[in-house]
Amino acid sequence: MGVQHHTLSKLDIIRRILFITIGAALVSVALEIFLVPNHIIDGGIVGISIIVSYFTGLPLGLFLFLLNLPFLLLGYKQIGKTFALSTLYGVSVMSLGTFLLHPVKAITSEYVLAAIFGGVILGAGVGLVIRFGGSLDGTEIVAILSNKRLPFSVGEVVMFFNLFILCSAGFVFGWDRAMYSLFSYFIAFKMIDITIEGFQESKAVWIISESWQEIGAAIMSRLGRGVTYLHGEGGFTGGQKRIIFCVITRLEEAKMKSIVQELDPAAFLAVGNIHDVKGGRFKKRDIH
C-alpha cells in the first residue's frame, strides 16, 4: 500500500498564497525602490536579471520570470508539485511587482541606507516565501540538482554562485557598488533566518548532575518548562548518568543557568541553538 500524500486544506492554501504574495511584494519593493536604482544587486538569478536588464534596457520583471522558468521546469520532478507551483506563483508576483514599481522613484540615493533597508526588506520577503513553502530563486533548485553529481553541499553551491554574481557587479557597476551589494546580501541573509525562525530563538539544554531531580523539579516549577530525563554512561568512568534535556527560549537562558548554579555549581551544562520546535509540550506552562 502506497504512502498517502497530505492534502492542504483550503485555509492552508489561502494562508500560503497570502504570505507568499506579501513576501514576493516585499522583494519587489526592495529591488525597485532601494537596490536597483542605486545599482546594488542581489545574488542568484535576481542578480543576473539585474545585470541583464541594465545592459538590455528591458524590464527587470521580464528576466526575473524568464530566467527562473527553465530551472523550475528542470527541477519539477525533484522538488515536488506543491513547491514548484508555490515558487512559480511567487516568482510571478515578484516579476509583476517589479514591473509595476519600476516608474516609482527611489526613496533614497544614499548607498548605505539603500543597502541596509533594501537588504532588510528583501530578506524579510524571501524569508516569508520560504517559510510558507516556496522560493524566489532558481539557484537553489540548481544547487539541489547538482548536489547529486558534485562533491559540494547545496549551501556551498549557492554560496559560490552568489559570490560569482556579486563579484560580477564590480565589473558592471564599479567595485564600490559590489561591496555595497555584498553588505546588502549579508543583511538579507541574516534577515531570512530571523523571518524563518522568528525573533524568539529557541535553545536546547543538556545538564548532567548528581542533583538531577532537584534541578529538573526547579526547571518545571520556576521556569514552567517540561524536562526529559535521559540515561547516559560516562566515557571514562563507565558510571551511569542521568541527563536532563529541555528546550527554552533565549530570554530564559540566564534564569536556567542561575538555577543550575544555585543547585549544583559543578554540574555540566551545555546550551545550543535550535532552528525549529514542533509538537511535544514545548508550550510554556503558567508558573503559580
Side-chain angles (χ1 to χ4, degrees), residues 241-255:
K241 302 284 186 181
R242 282 296 184 97
I243 304 165
I244 303 169
F245 174 77
C246 67
V247 177
I248 61 174
T249 66
R250 178 175 55 84
L251 300 176
E252 294 166 335
E253 184 178 353
K255 181 68 173 177

Side-chain angles (χ1 to χ4, degrees), residues 31 74 82 101 108 197 206 276 281:
L31 291 173
L74 182 67
T82 303
L101 289 171
T108 180
E197 297 169 18
W206 295 266
D276 200 7
R281 296 185 179 180

